[in-house]
Amino acid sequence: MSKPSVLAIPLGGLGEFGMNMMVLRCGDDIIVIDAGLMFPEAELLGVDIVIPDTTYLKLHRHMVRAIVLTHAHEDHIGSIPYILGDLNVPIYGTRFTLAIVKKKLQEAGLLDVAKLHETAAGQHVEIGPFKIEFLHVTHSTIDCVALAIRTPVGVIIHTGDFKIDHTPVDGKPFDLHAFARYGQEGVLALFSDSTNVERPGYTPSERAVAVPLEELFRAAPRKVVVSCFSSSVHRIQQVIDIALMTGRKIGFVGRSMVDNVEIAHDLNRLRIPDGSVVRPQDLKTYDPKKLVVLASGTQAEPMSSLSRIAVDNHRLVTIEQNDTVILSARIIPGNEKAIFRMIDHLFRRQVLVYYEGGRSAPIHVSGHASQEEMKLLLNLVRPKYFVPLHGEYRQLFRHAALAQQVGAVGGEIFLLESGQVLEFTADGAFRREPVTAGRVLVDSGSLEEIEEVVIRERRHLAEDGVVVPILAIDKHTGRLEAQPEIVTRGFLPSDDGQEVLNEARKVILKTIENSTAEEKTDWGVIKEKIRVDLKRYLNKHTAKRPLILPVILEI
Ligand SMILES: [Zn+2]
Ligand SMILES: [Zn+2]
């Protein structure tokens, strides 16, 4: 019998932002902590999402006992539908987390086969040699937990995402006592969230946005549109409360917003008094002085509610002079261009726009711990070993440096990147041979994996070809200057090919026709709209999935 040891194998989220996944292996038993996704950068043309490479799990599939979830954010649960089809293991999560997962599994047609186990903060679960206690932590969504995992070599604590909020909106503070209790007992290793390590001080409580939002609501001459992440249940609750307090009713638009509000409300985690909601179909006619609309689309995603509202192309919500729009979210790096373009559209319509930056009163606060909270946690837990999680390399590095400075780590601090393996034994902690890790690119319509974008493109070209719609658009008027051209390679050699292309041209014309002038001059938006519409049409009429790369010629 070999001596007990535990391998920690990060398959995603270390040295990159998103797609968090940590594997713990003890002998022939494996648990997976979180299974997140990452949204692709613009250069990954045609790819919808990115998930971790789970080759290691597939190679050891008979050992995988469970996926254990910390909370309901996409970067922690988003890859479940893609992984579960091939690796149907039990999933453990809190009530809200599982409710969000269920929705995803339902859409993927996997809900019937999924094995879901509800847990809650304070509960214990035994999975093989791992005895897990769920510890309540505060974050930007609800029902978030850290995991204290008892293994044959000691206790490993995985924080999940957290901040230390002493006055959370739902009255459930960060469970400092539980962390202190484990610290007293002795902790082998702490794995902790590094997201905000570049911020000194403390992250303000979620309640810090209440007064600034109330002031803006009271000052607003007409309707108020607030956009926040649809998973930010605390923020949504505050917007509802403040709307009612300032004599306004509330409407919800955007699929993810409506879905999440419904889920949280069904679980009794969102208080929405009777008679306080304006039905979507009544939003246009409701007295704008008495209305707050909560909309999704904080990052100016091309098809989101707020993007559409900003160019007056939303079915349910109009925007007019002196309306107020509040972006109650972080401007995620990489999205600045799209967001500021959307803000420009709003200002052009003489809308009062409030967003992060240049404001002394916060309309958004982060859900992640700043330096002082990280120090506090390190001091409470006093682990033997420390592994920074959840961040790009510089964030992991700085979290390691911070831990060094605090001096609360008894043994070594390990900077790991995805795929790098650490083994804990009775003798200490040791780096081991790395395992396969990386990014898998997925087309979300197909639940299909694509190993690399190059392979995807090659496969597309070989099997389904490439379709390049070429449009000449006047940069200033947004007018189409000529009939759209469609160039194809390896696509449609058959008889009806010409007919399909003629129809495809009509689809493009229709997309253009249904777009506003601003959308037409915003090439990110118009390209995406054309890609989506054309993809739908071609998939339906040819059963092929060609790579679609719209090209716009500036006139
Ligand atoms: Zn996260
Ligand atoms: Zn999170």
Side-chain angles (χ1 to χ4, degrees):
M1 192 68 197
S2 59
K3 281 189 198 157
S5 90
V6 171
L7 294 169
I9 309 163
L11 291 183
L14 276 73
E16 63 205 345
F17 210 82
M19 60 175 214
N20 296 286
M21 178 179 274
M22 173 66 79
V23 172
L24 293 185
R25 175 175 170 185
C26 179
D28 286 346
D29 294 288
I30 284 175
I31 56 169
V32 183
I33 303 170
D34 288 337
L37 62 69
M38 176 154 81
F39 293 102
E41 293 116 35
E43 54 266 30
L44 297 181
L45 280 166
V47 170
D48 294 311
I49 64 162
V50 181
I51 63 171
D53 184 331
T54 51
T55 302
Y56 182 85
L57 297 178
K58 287 173 190 160
L59 286 173
H60 301 87
R61 59 170 69 241
H62 60 287
M63 299 181 187
V64 184
R65 305 288 168 243
I67 299 174
V68 185
L69 303 174
T70 60
H71 66 292
H73 278 152
E74 288 291 343
D75 60 322
H76 297 260
I77 63 169
S79 68
I80 289 176
Y82 304 92
I83 290 169
L84 220 59
D86 191 42
L87 203 72
N88 189 11
V89 297
I91 299 175
Y92 291 80
T94 58
R95 182 169 296 175
F96 181 72
T97 306
L98 285 191
I100 300 288
V101 168
K102 275 181 198 164
K103 185 102 198 159
K104 288 178 174 297
L105 292 175
Q106 194 174 19
E107 282 163 11
L110 290 167
L111 187 56
D112 292 342
V113 295
K115 294 166 261 186
L116 304 177
H117 298 270
E118 188 179 310
T119 60
Q123 283 189 7
H124 297 254
V125 164
E126 207 172 319
I127 305 169
F130 302 102
K131 297 184 179 71
I132 305 173
E133 182 182 359
F134 297 86
L135 315 180
H136 181 70
V137 298
T138 42
H139 184 42
S140 45
T141 188
I142 54 172
D143 255 9
C144 303
V145 287
L147 311 176
I149 305 159
R150 227 172 265 282
T151 76
V153 288
V155 174
I156 295 173
I157 292 185
H158 183 299
T159 64
D161 290 1
F162 76 98
K163 72 196 256 182
I164 300 179
D165 193 339
H166 300 291
T167 56
V169 173
D170 64 0
K172 296 180 180 174
F174 185 98
D175 193 352
L176 286 169
H177 298 283
F179 285 87
R181 172 160 51 79
Y182 279 100
Q184 285 276 312
E185 178 191 322
V187 170
L188 176 71
L190 173 66
F191 297 177
S192 180
D193 175 7
S194 310
T195 312
N196 275 354
V197 70
E198 290 161 324
R199 298 193 189 181
Y202 296 90
T203 302
S205 169
E206 170 63 26
R207 282 190 202 266
V209 301
V211 169
L213 286 181
E214 186 185 336
E215 278 170 7
L216 292 179
F217 283 22
R218 287 200 194 281
R222 283 174 47 90
K223 121 170 120 267
V224 180
V225 177
V226 182
S227 190
C228 69
F229 287 113
S230 55
S231 58
S232 299
V233 179
H234 303 303
R235 189 71 46 84
I236 294 169
Q237 182 70 65
Q238 298 204 92
V239 168
I240 294 169
D241 293 347
I242 297 164
L244 299 178
M245 201 199 306
T246 55
R248 292 170 184 264
K249 288 195 180 184
I250 186 105
F252 303 98
V253 295
R255 187 175 149 233
S256 63
M257 182 63 74
V258 171
D259 283 354
N260 283 9
V261 164
E262 199 178 290
I263 288 171
H265 186 241
D266 285 349
L267 298 179
N268 263 332
R269 299 301 301 275
L270 206 49
R271 296 180 308 276
I272 311 176
D274 288 342
S276 56
V277 176
V278 180
R279 295 183 308 171
Q281 62 268 39
D282 299 335
L283 289 172
K284 268 190 176 161
T285 50
Y286 199 81
D287 180 359
K289 292 193 181 70
K290 294 184 173 162
L291 182 62
V292 172
V293 176
L294 256 166
S296 44
T298 61
Q299 302 305 307
E301 301 88 338
M303 312 301 266
S304 68
S305 295
L306 194 60
S307 289
R308 287 169 188 255
I309 290 171
V311 292
D312 240 335
N313 188 23
H314 195 278
R315 203 159 46 87
L316 304 166
V317 182
T318 51
I319 198 83
E320 281 163 58
Q321 186 176 0
N322 287 330
D323 280 339
T324 298
V325 170
I326 302 171
L327 247 74
S328 183
R330 188 167 81 101
I331 293 175
I332 294 176
N335 299 341
E336 298 96 335
K337 263 191 164 174
I339 294 172
F340 290 134
R341 226 162 23 213
M342 178 175 78
I343 291 173
D344 285 344
H345 291 318
L346 291 165
F347 275 131
R348 250 182 230 119
R349 297 185 151 75
Q350 274 119 52
V351 170
L352 311 164
V353 193
Y354 300 92
Y355 52 98
E356 219 188 8
R359 290 185 50 84
S360 51
I363 48 175
H364 168 68
V365 292
S366 172
H368 295 274
S370 299
Q371 287 172 6
E372 295 305 316
E373 295 153 273
M374 292 175 172
K375 290 182 195 170
L376 174 58
L377 192 76
L378 279 158
N379 255 320
L380 282 178
V381 176
R382 300 206 146 260
K384 188 159 182 205
Y385 301 107
F386 178 61
V387 180
L389 294 180
H390 206 280
E392 292 181 5
Y393 195 79
R394 72 173 198 286
Q395 293 159 319
L396 304 182
F397 184 92
R398 291 193 59 176
H399 200 183
L402 188 84
Q404 186 74 41
Q405 183 199 349
V406 170
V409 179
E412 215 173 323
I413 295 167
F414 288 95
L415 264 171
L416 298 184
E417 287 189 85
S418 299
Q420 296 179 348
V421 178
L422 198 59
E423 181 172 29
F424 300 101
T425 70
D427 301 324
F430 310 92
R431 283 178 185 272
R432 298 295 183 218
E433 278 295 297
V435 303
T436 306
R439 307 193 298 179
V440 174
L441 311 173
V442 181
D443 183 333
S444 68
S446 65
L447 288 182
E448 207 179 315
E449 286 182 5
I450 301 119
E451 294 226 333
E452 280 300 332
V453 70
V454 184
I455 292 173
R456 178 195 163 91
E457 287 188 6
R458 267 190 215 149
R459 205 201 55 199
H460 267 307
L461 293 168
E463 290 174 17
D464 291 343
V466 58
V467 172
V468 183
I470 303 170
L471 290 89
I473 293 180
D474 185 305
K475 178 85 187 155
H476 299 288
T477 62
R479 255 187 48 199
L480 204 56
E481 290 298 310
Q483 287 294 305
E485 293 277 328
I486 301 182
V487 176
T488 69
R489 291 290 180 269
F491 177 73
L492 280 183
S494 59
D495 309 339
D496 64 345
Q498 215 42 52
E499 201 183 307
V500 169
L501 288 185
N502 286 338
E503 284 302 313
R505 231 169 262 132
K506 285 184 197 158
V507 170
I508 298 174
L509 286 173
K510 205 162 163 205
T511 305
I512 304 266
E513 201 181 292
N514 293 339
S515 302
T516 64
E518 274 150 320
E519 285 180 305
K520 281 185 266 188
T521 52
D522 190 334
W523 292 353
V525 173
I526 197 69
K527 275 186 184 174
E528 179 63 11
K529 287 186 81 169
I530 289 170
R531 191 179 78 82
V532 168
D533 289 351
L534 213 51
K535 181 175 156 184
R536 194 179 300 127
Y537 169 77
L538 292 176
N539 288 355
K540 200 170 154 204
H541 289 86
T542 67
K544 290 195 172 190
R545 313 180 70 83
L547 190 68
I548 300 170
L549 300 172
V551 170
I552 296 184
L553 304 175
E554 182 172 348
I555 303 289

Short mmCIF file of all heavy atoms in Angstrom, two decimals, residues 71 73 75-76 139-140 161 368 390, ligand 2:
data_model
loop_
_atom_site.label_atom_id
_atom_site.label_comp_id
_atom_site.label_asym_id
_atom_site.label_seq_id
_atom_site.Cartn_x
_atom_site.Cartn_y
_atom_site.Cartn_z
N HIS A 71 -20.08 28.25 -7.06
CA HIS A 71 -21.15 29.22 -7.28
C HIS A 71 -21.55 29.27 -8.75
O HIS A 71 -20.95 28.61 -9.59
CB HIS A 71 -20.77 30.60 -6.76
CG HIS A 71 -19.65 31.25 -7.51
ND1 HIS A 71 -18.35 30.79 -7.48
CD2 HIS A 71 -19.62 32.34 -8.32
CE1 HIS A 71 -17.58 31.57 -8.21
NE2 HIS A 71 -18.33 32.52 -8.75
N HIS A 73 -21.55 31.37 -11.32
CA HIS A 73 -21.04 32.18 -12.42
C HIS A 73 -20.55 31.31 -13.58
O HIS A 73 -20.05 30.21 -13.38
CB HIS A 73 -19.88 33.08 -11.94
CG HIS A 73 -20.38 34.32 -11.27
ND1 HIS A 73 -19.67 34.98 -10.29
CD2 HIS A 73 -21.53 35.02 -11.44
CE1 HIS A 73 -20.37 36.03 -9.89
NE2 HIS A 73 -21.49 36.08 -10.57
N ASP A 75 -17.96 31.41 -15.36
CA ASP A 75 -16.57 30.95 -15.34
C ASP A 75 -16.35 29.81 -14.35
O ASP A 75 -15.23 29.33 -14.19
CB ASP A 75 -15.60 32.12 -15.09
CG ASP A 75 -15.83 32.83 -13.76
OD1 ASP A 75 -17.00 32.98 -13.36
OD2 ASP A 75 -14.85 33.24 -13.12
N HIS A 76 -17.45 29.35 -13.71
CA HIS A 76 -17.36 28.21 -12.78
C HIS A 76 -18.30 27.06 -13.15
O HIS A 76 -18.07 25.93 -12.74
CB HIS A 76 -17.63 28.68 -11.35
CG HIS A 76 -16.61 29.67 -10.88
ND1 HIS A 76 -15.55 29.32 -10.08
CD2 HIS A 76 -16.45 30.99 -11.17
CE1 HIS A 76 -14.79 30.39 -9.89
NE2 HIS A 76 -15.32 31.42 -10.54
N HIS A 139 -20.10 37.18 -2.26
CA HIS A 139 -19.61 37.41 -3.63
C HIS A 139 -20.72 38.16 -4.35
O HIS A 139 -21.73 38.52 -3.74
CB HIS A 139 -19.30 36.04 -4.24
CG HIS A 139 -18.70 36.06 -5.61
ND1 HIS A 139 -17.73 36.95 -5.98
CD2 HIS A 139 -18.92 35.27 -6.70
CE1 HIS A 139 -17.40 36.71 -7.25
NE2 HIS A 139 -18.11 35.70 -7.70
N SER A 140 -20.59 38.37 -5.66
CA SER A 140 -21.59 39.17 -6.36
C SER A 140 -22.85 38.39 -6.73
O SER A 140 -23.81 39.00 -7.21
CB SER A 140 -20.97 39.80 -7.60
OG SER A 140 -20.22 38.85 -8.29
N ASP A 161 -14.85 32.05 -5.49
CA ASP A 161 -14.74 33.52 -5.61
C ASP A 161 -15.31 34.13 -4.34
O ASP A 161 -16.36 33.70 -3.87
CB ASP A 161 -15.55 34.03 -6.80
CG ASP A 161 -14.95 33.62 -8.13
OD1 ASP A 161 -13.92 32.94 -8.12
OD2 ASP A 161 -15.52 34.00 -9.17
N HIS A 368 -15.15 40.69 -5.65
CA HIS A 368 -13.92 39.99 -5.27
C HIS A 368 -13.15 40.76 -4.19
O HIS A 368 -13.17 41.99 -4.15
CB HIS A 368 -13.02 39.81 -6.50
CG HIS A 368 -13.61 38.91 -7.54
ND1 HIS A 368 -13.48 37.54 -7.51
CD2 HIS A 368 -14.36 39.20 -8.63
CE1 HIS A 368 -14.10 37.02 -8.55
NE2 HIS A 368 -14.65 38.00 -9.25
N HIS A 390 -7.43 31.71 -9.82
CA HIS A 390 -8.36 32.65 -10.42
C HIS A 390 -7.68 33.95 -10.83
O HIS A 390 -7.87 35.00 -10.20
CB HIS A 390 -9.50 32.94 -9.43
CG HIS A 390 -10.80 33.35 -10.06
ND1 HIS A 390 -11.02 34.62 -10.49
CD2 HIS A 390 -11.93 32.67 -10.32
CE1 HIS A 390 -12.26 34.70 -10.98
NE2 HIS A 390 -12.83 33.53 -10.90
ZN ZN B 2 -17.76 34.52 -9.44
#
